[in-house]
Amino acid sequence: MERDSFVFYRSFYDAVKDLPNDIKLEVLTAIIEYALFDKDPDNLKPIAKGMFVLVKPNLDVNKKRYENGTKGGRRSKSAGAPVKKVATPSPVMSDAFADEVSQLKNDTSWCEATCMQYHIDTSTLHSRLDAFVVHCKVERPDNPHATIAEARRHFCAWMRKVYPVKIDSPTPSTTDYSFKGGFGGQDT
């Protein structure tokens, strides 16, 4: 389905702005052709292909919203005839969770802060975000996060539970510092 417009997020720009011009042009052209003409890109360079793969879930979600919007809204109950409920397949929640994780992955400032908080690199964070999608599908399949902020909080709570930070404690001392009378600690 061809469209006249699409949503272009700031995160798309932030992701490609520092790329060499030839790769930037390739990524932006792929995004535009996919969003407007539903044309899958072919023969992309590896970096451009990787960037497009990260952006594609957002484009798919917005395309689905657009298609649903073209179907029109709910009929008015005052229109006379009773509103007939049409059985539609329920949306797969994995798409909602995958979209949330895609937004989290594209939020570079949040990713950087989270990597520093948990002492991990970006690729580890992304693999843990992918594991988080699986967790959400199992634990709350019919309950997507209300906001992206809620998804961030849930992810951080899940990280603390699944990947606790281990604090290296010094080896215990064999010296007995119990009070034996007097001032200033140990009097023997």
Side-chain angles (χ1 to χ4, degrees), residues 93-94 97 136-144:
M93 295 316 296
S94 62
F97 292 124
C136 290
K137 286 184 203 176
V138 172
E139 293 296 319
R140 47 187 298 159
D142 298 324
N143 189 14

Side-chain angles (χ1 to χ4, degrees), residues 14-35:
D14 290 339
V16 299
K17 71 179 178 185
D18 295 327
L19 292 174
N21 286 338
D22 60 330
I23 295 175
K24 186 186 315 182
L25 177 63
E26 197 173 355
V27 172
L28 293 175
T29 302
I31 290 171
I32 292 167
E33 288 181 351
Y34 183 77

Side-chain angles (χ1 to χ4, degrees), residues 63-101:
K63 183 171 93 173
K64 185 69 174 170
R65 288 180 184 155
Y66 173 81
E67 289 170 356
N68 289 339
T70 60
K71 294 176 184 175
R74 184 182 207 168
R75 280 189 286 158
S76 163
K77 289 184 180 182
S78 63
V83 176
K84 185 178 179 184
K85 211 171 196 179
V86 178
T88 58
S90 61
V92 178
M93 295 316 296
S94 62
D95 289 343
F97 292 124
D99 182 42
E100 291 171 356
V101 166

Side-chain angles (χ1 to χ4, degrees), residues 19-167:
L19 292 174
N21 286 338
D22 60 330
I23 295 175
K24 186 186 315 182
L25 177 63
E26 197 173 355
V27 172
L28 293 175
T29 302
I31 290 171
I32 292 167
E33 288 181 351
Y34 183 77
L36 294 179
F37 307 113
D38 205 22
K39 179 183 174 192
D40 282 320
D42 53 349
N43 300 327
L44 293 176
K45 294 176 185 167
I47 294 174
K49 185 176 183 178
M51 298 300 287
F52 179 76
V53 167
L54 291 173
V55 170
K56 187 176 184 277
N58 287 337
L59 297 173
D60 290 338
V61 167
N62 287 326
K63 183 171 93 173
K64 185 69 174 170
R65 288 180 184 155
Y66 173 81
E67 289 170 356
N68 289 339
T70 60
K71 294 176 184 175
R74 184 182 207 168
R75 280 189 286 158
S76 163
K77 289 184 180 182
S78 63
V83 176
K84 185 178 179 184
K85 211 171 196 179
V86 178
T88 58
S90 61
V92 178
M93 295 316 296
S94 62
D95 289 343
F97 292 124
D99 182 42
E100 291 171 356
V101 166
S102 175
Q103 288 179 33
L104 292 176
K105 286 180 180 179
N106 288 329
D107 186 348
T108 54
S109 60
W110 178 81
C111 285
E112 183 179 327
T114 305
C115 285
M116 289 187 339
Q117 178 181 358
Y118 294 104
H119 308 289
I120 56 177
D121 61 10
T122 306
S123 63
T124 304
L125 175 65
H126 286 196
S127 66
R128 289 183 182 180
L129 281 165
D130 293 336
F132 178 66
V133 169
V134 174
H135 162 76
C136 290
K137 286 184 203 176
V138 172
E139 293 296 319
R140 47 187 298 159
D142 298 324
N143 189 14
H145 299 102
T147 64
I148 199 69
E150 182 185 337
R152 286 184 188 126
R153 284 190 299 273
H154 183 202
F155 174 74
C156 289
W158 177 80
M159 280 285 290
R160 286 190 298 274
K161 183 178 179 184
V162 176
Y163 301 100
V165 177
K166 295 177 181 144
I167 301 172

